[in-house]
Amino acid sequence: GTPFVLFPLVKASPEGFNPPLRVSGSDLIQAWNLKRTGLRHAEARKWDTAIFTWRMAIANNAADGALIRGLLQTVAQTEEPHRYTDVTVAYSRWLLRLSRTNQSDVELVAGLYEEIGLYDLITRTFAERAAEPHGRFALAHLKALFYQGEYQRFKQAWEQSRSTIKGDARAVAEI
C-alpha cells in the first residue's frame, strides 16, 4: 500500500522558479525553529554559531529568501565579514536567483560584496540586472569599477548615476 505521509511536500519556491523547490511541513517547522535560534545567537554576538544555525535553517528550506537575508544580515553585523566570504558568495548568489529583481536584496548583497572587497561580483551582479542601479548598489558599482581599474566605464557610470546619488553627500564624498 501507500505509506502514510504526516507532512506532505509543498511547493516553497517563488512562482516561475525552475526547478520548483518542495519542502515538507516538518522541514518548515525545523527551519522556523532554527531561525529563532540563529537570531538569539546573533543577538548574543556568537557569530560562528549564529551563522551555522542560519545555514541549517536554509538547509531545511532553501526557498525561503527571508532565511537567506537573515544569514547575510548576520554576516554583515560581524566584526570580520571577510571570514565568511565563502558563505556570503554562495548564499548571496542563491538569494539573487530566488528574488530576481528585488532591489533591497541587490543592495544587501552589493553592500556585503563591497565590505569584503568582492568588486568583481559587484560588476557581475550589475551586468546581470536589466535596470540601472539605484542607491547603495549604484555607489557600490561605481566603487567596483574604480577599484578594478575600469576608468572609462567608471566615467560613463558616474555620468549616468550622478543625479541619483547627487543628494547623498556622504556617497559622493566616498567617490
Side-chain angles (χ1 to χ4, degrees):
T2 305
F4 175 72
V5 178
L6 182 60
F7 291 111
L9 296 177
V10 295
K11 183 177 173 264
S13 54
E15 194 62 41
F17 189 83
N18 200 7
L21 301 174
R22 302 192 187 290
V23 181
S24 75
S26 61
D27 284 336
L28 291 173
I29 293 168
Q30 187 67 16
W32 177 78
N33 249 340
L34 287 164
K35 173 186 174 181
R36 292 179 54 214
T37 304
L39 287 168
R40 278 196 310 274
H41 288 305
E43 189 175 305
R45 303 179 66 79
K46 296 179 182 176
W47 303 122
D48 288 339
T49 306
I51 288 169
F52 176 78
T53 306
W54 278 112
R55 291 177 75 185
M56 294 304 298
I58 295 165
N60 281 277
N61 185 3
D64 188 342
L67 295 175
I68 303 167
R69 282 181 212 98
L71 168 67
L72 295 175
Q73 289 164 347
T74 299
V75 169
Q77 292 173 15
T78 67
E79 292 86 14
E80 300 177 284
H82 65 276
R83 285 187 54 220
Y84 306 101
T85 299
D86 58 338
V87 171
T88 300
V89 172
Y91 288 97
S92 64
R93 300 310 294 170
W94 181 247
L95 176 62
L96 293 177
R97 182 167 175 226
L98 276 175
S99 68
R100 296 186 208 143
T101 58
N102 184 323
Q103 183 65 26
S104 62
D105 288 344
V106 171
E107 289 186 13
L108 169 66
V109 167
L112 266 171
Y113 290 168
E114 183 180 358
E115 181 74 26
I116 296 170
L118 299 172
Y119 299 113
D120 58 327
L121 285 177
I122 294 172
T123 55
R124 178 178 172 188
T125 302
F126 172 77
E128 295 168 349
R129 304 281 157 237
E132 285 297 313
H134 297 76
R136 186 175 182 183
F137 182 43
L139 180 60
H141 180 245
L142 284 168
K143 285 183 178 180
L145 291 172
F146 184 81
Y147 287 129
Q148 288 183 297
E150 301 268 351
Y151 302 120
Q152 191 59 37
R153 287 180 56 204
F154 169 84
K155 181 181 176 186
Q156 292 169 345
W158 171 254
E159 292 300 323
Q160 290 174 345
S161 65
R162 189 175 358 179
S163 63
T164 62
I165 63 171
K166 187 177 184 181
D168 189 348
R170 189 184 70 97
V172 174
E174 287 183 29
I175 300 271

